[in-house]
Amino acid sequence: MSDTLTASSLRTTHQYSLQRSRGNTKHHRNLIGIGEASRGQCRSAILNITGTKQVQSLSLEELSVPIVREPNGGILAGGYFLPINTDAVNQTRATSRVSYLDRWSWRPNLNVLTNHQVTRILFSNFSTTGSGTQTGGGNPSATGNSTIVLPNLFGNPAPPTLSKPVVKPRQTSTSALHATAVEIASFASAPRQTIFARREVIMAAGAIHSPQILQLSGIGPGDVLRRFNISVGVDLSGVGRNLQDHSRVTTTYSYQNTSYPNPLNALGAAAQAEYRANKTGPCTAEPSSALAFLSLPMVANDSSAILASAAASDPSLLPQSYDATLHAGYAQQLSALTAHLAGRQTPAFELLNDNSGIWTMSLMHPFSRGVTEIVSANPFDPPMIDPRYLVNPTDMEIYVRAIQFNQRILDTTPMQVLQPSFSTPVRNATEEQIRDLLRAGLQTMYHPTGTCAMLDRALGGVVNPRLVVYGTDNVRVVDTSMQPLIPNAHLQAAVYAVAEKASDLIKQDAGDPMGEMPGAETDAQMRAWAQWQASINGAPGGVDRGRAEP
């Protein structure tokens, strides 16, 4: 039986893993993509600006767009040269798995179960706080329900002895649902299995699947749950609502000047062989690290009029399923969005450049709102996802100004050296031609956000400031679904920051306000564990490699 369960999801495969932790994992400040370049976790691409990247930089400066020399310095809007997430020693990608999971894989209180899916959360007091016996997520065709014992799937030798932390049972509220277990299955017709939790259940399934699991468990909009004969434990209208995403559209201005070689051509067989052999060469760099985050006043003379129109948005532009609390929450979001976007430091859109002439625009702060919800009581049926791109006309207007600004960039003196062509859209495209391009070519950046928002319940919120789901006393959400407004940047750094903060909250709520769990490891133990870890994965030994900063 574990103290903490974490359900996480891969966005496209509907695979889940379960992680057990007694809460004594130390957090570390080495946030990948946020800084700490000296520690080898983040390589900067701005030290040697050449070729097409240099041309884009000069073009933006000709249009009075500042170049942000340090992407993590706090200045939001301008031209950027992205840092990349690589290990400086072996020149491999520093993913969240490598940086957070693998380094602690030796812990005896950590288990990962693959090829299984969470079907629902189980509550001990559902019949007294909800509308009858808990239903939903079940499988009438499957027989049997068993308790599962998680194996150590890493296949590592036994680690040094770990001192056991003192476990403080969470106090159960008589007026809130109390989660005691998570139900899982390997496929739709498989028997359900149960993993119990003594302390709490942590949802990290993402902005699509966290609300799906909550709805299957009886937490969500009551009308949606009743439609599929799922008993309502907490009628929480915000679950699956407030969906936001960074949409994108691609334009093509292929460069004709061959004296500036296409960087993509440099990543051929020879470069790949060099990388595999020595971890050197062009494959250690990112070909599309030059981009810009541009504010609306930077690109549009009529930005004030666009935002004034946005502030007066018709409430009917929101989904019909939104109730009064969601309308109230959106009204506050609308006020904040229009105020921030009026300044020159808040990006309205991102301009991505692959250095060969393919440019992608992505809307950073959409005014449109969408919905995701279950389509049946079967957990293996993918949920409905309706981002409702461009429903609010303000989003269309910002995109039009973004593509029009492309023309201005292409007309600058530095950019003319590259001899850009015009394919999609054509040169000097009309507004209607641009709108047609957007209607036909808009796609997702795969950044869904906001569907379990940290807001007051009266504003359509789902979790409180400690990330606990309203109406429960021990279910927490730690992923992009808790962010009420989508960040005006890529989500990686924001996700890591939320997770780091959540780890502090979890430990504090377990009775450790300083973030050090009872039974914490000694220096000698940590040194032994670091040496053991090095023996199984070839990493350099020593405390610094295996131990987080205090």
Side-chain angles (χ1 to χ4, degrees):
M1 182 159 62
S2 64
D3 301 314
T4 304
L5 296 175
T6 303
S8 64
S9 169
L10 299 178
R11 178 185 298 115
T12 57
T13 62
H14 305 284
Q15 293 179 327
Y16 291 81
S17 65
L18 294 176
Q19 172 181 325
R20 298 194 305 176
S21 170
R22 284 196 166 88
N24 63 340
T25 300
K26 297 175 182 288
H27 75 279
H28 61 85
R29 301 190 187 98
N30 229 7
L31 301 184
I32 313 306
I34 295 181
E36 299 288 348
S38 62
R39 297 184 177 274
Q41 300 293 339
C42 185
R43 294 180 63 248
S44 177
I46 68 175
L47 300 180
N48 184 20
I49 304 172
T50 59
T52 57
K53 297 178 184 180
Q54 183 182 44
V55 170
Q56 176 168 309
S57 174
L58 295 173
S59 297
L60 291 173
E61 288 181 319
E62 183 175 306
L63 296 173
S64 300
V65 174
I67 302 302
V68 180
R69 299 293 173 181
E70 173 47 65
N72 301 314
I75 298 176
L76 300 178
Y80 280 77
F81 295 91
L82 290 179
I84 57 178
N85 300 157
T86 59
D87 186 302
V89 176
N90 59 25
Q91 294 297 316
T92 57
R93 185 176 181 183
T95 64
S96 57
R97 171 181 169 170
V98 169
S99 302
Y100 283 91
L101 178 60
D102 288 358
R103 66 191 301 167
W104 302 111
S105 63
W106 45 268
R107 284 181 176 267
N109 62 341
L110 169 64
N111 292 275
V112 175
L113 181 64
T114 60
N115 299 316
H116 283 71
Q117 180 163 320
V118 173
T119 57
R120 59 176 172 168
I121 301 169
L122 300 178
F123 300 96
S124 61
N125 57 339
F126 196 96
S127 60
T128 58
T129 62
S131 58
T133 304
Q134 184 176 8
T135 60
N139 176 23
S141 65
T143 59
N145 192 306
S146 61
T147 300
I148 189 170
V149 177
L150 293 178
N152 185 337
L153 299 183
F154 289 97
N156 298 329
T161 302
L162 177 72
S163 57
K164 283 190 175 182
V166 177
V167 176
K168 297 182 179 181
R170 179 181 288 277
Q171 296 296 316
T172 303
S173 169
T174 57
S175 61
L177 289 180
H178 183 76
T180 56
V182 169
E183 184 183 80
I184 65 172
S186 56
F187 51 92
S189 60
R192 299 319 191 225
Q193 295 176 297
T194 303
I195 304 176
F196 291 93
R198 278 199 298 261
R199 180 169 291 154
E200 67 181 85
V201 173
I202 302 171
M203 303 286 300
I208 302 302
H209 295 295
S210 281
Q212 178 194 23
I213 295 172
L214 287 176
Q215 291 172 8
L216 291 168
S217 307
I219 301 174
D223 59 332
V224 174
L225 306 187
R226 286 186 286 268
R227 188 186 312 155
F228 302 113
N229 297 317
I230 297 175
S231 298
V232 180
V234 183
D235 192 340
L236 201 54
S237 60
V239 176
R241 296 348 188 194
N242 192 48
L243 173 61
Q244 300 154 65
D245 185 26
H246 289 150
S247 58
R248 64 185 172 94
V249 65
T250 299
T251 56
T252 304
Y253 313 102
S254 299
Y255 305 145
Q256 307 302 304
N257 187 344
T258 57
S259 64
Y260 283 81
N262 185 333
L264 299 178
N265 296 334
L267 304 179
Q272 294 175 33
E274 178 184 358
Y275 175 79
R276 285 191 292 267
N278 306 314
K279 295 298 187 289
T280 59
C283 289
T284 63
E286 183 185 10
S288 57
S289 60
L291 53 77
F293 286 95
L294 300 168
S295 67
L296 194 57
M298 285 179 179
V299 304
N301 295 328
D302 59 346
S303 60
S304 296
I306 292 174
L307 294 175
S309 177
S313 294
D314 190 329
S316 67
L317 295 173
L318 294 175
Q320 293 183 355
S321 59
Y322 279 29
D323 67 1
T325 66
L326 288 158
H327 277 267
Y330 181 73
Q332 291 202 7
Q333 294 180 32
L334 192 62
S335 176
L337 278 178
T338 52
H340 285 296
L341 288 172
R344 294 184 64 85
Q345 287 301 312
T346 300
F349 68 95
E350 176 187 15
L351 170 58
L352 288 155
N353 168 25
D354 79 338
N355 299 313
S356 70
I358 297 177
W359 294 7
T360 299
M361 273 63 63
S362 178
L363 192 66
M364 289 291 98
H365 274 312
F367 285 83
S368 302
R369 294 293 180 271
V371 172
T372 180
E373 62 186 35
I374 56 175
V375 297
S376 75
N378 182 353
F380 289 85
D381 285 342
M384 179 273 288
I385 306 170
D386 183 7
R388 303 178 77 249
Y389 297 137
L390 305 181
V391 168
N392 190 306
T394 303
D395 295 344
M396 176 71 84
E397 294 306 312
I398 294 175
Y399 261 127
V400 169
R401 300 306 183 276
I403 295 177
Q404 288 175 330
F405 190 71
N406 285 358
Q407 176 77 62
R408 293 171 58 190
I409 297 175
L410 294 167
D411 287 342
T412 60
T413 301
M415 190 60 67
Q416 289 299 302
V417 175
L418 298 179
Q419 301 172 14
S421 61
F422 289 81
S423 175
T424 308
V426 298
R427 180 184 287 274
N428 298 320
T430 66
E431 285 197 13
E432 193 54 37
Q433 287 174 316
I434 295 174
R435 294 176 199 276
D436 288 342
L437 169 65
L438 289 164
R439 295 185 188 104
L442 210 63
Q443 298 177 320
T444 178
M445 286 284 281
Y446 300 100
H447 293 171
T449 302
T451 51
C452 297
M454 189 180 73
L455 289 169
D456 289 344
R457 191 168 180 176
L459 298 177
V462 175
V463 301
N464 66 21
R466 302 195 75 78
L467 305 180
V468 177
V469 175
Y470 290 121
T472 78
D473 63 6
N474 68 335
V475 176
R476 212 181 299 251
V477 178
V478 184
D479 56 39
T480 60
S481 66
M482 57 70 58
Q483 297 169 323
L485 282 175
I486 192 168
N488 52 8
H490 293 191
L491 302 187
Q492 180 192 30
V495 169
Y496 288 3
V498 168
E500 291 279 356
K501 178 63 177 178
S503 71
D504 291 340
L505 297 176
I506 292 165
K507 288 182 286 188
Q508 290 169 9
D509 289 351
D512 181 22
M514 300 304 292
E516 293 288 342
M517 289 297 296
E521 305 89 313
T522 65
D523 285 345
Q525 284 178 309
M526 287 305 303
R527 188 173 295 107
W529 289 330
Q531 292 171 350
W532 167 82
Q533 187 183 29
S535 72
I536 65 170
N537 63 12
V543 175
D544 288 343
R545 179 70 176 181
R547 183 179 186 180
E549 295 180 19

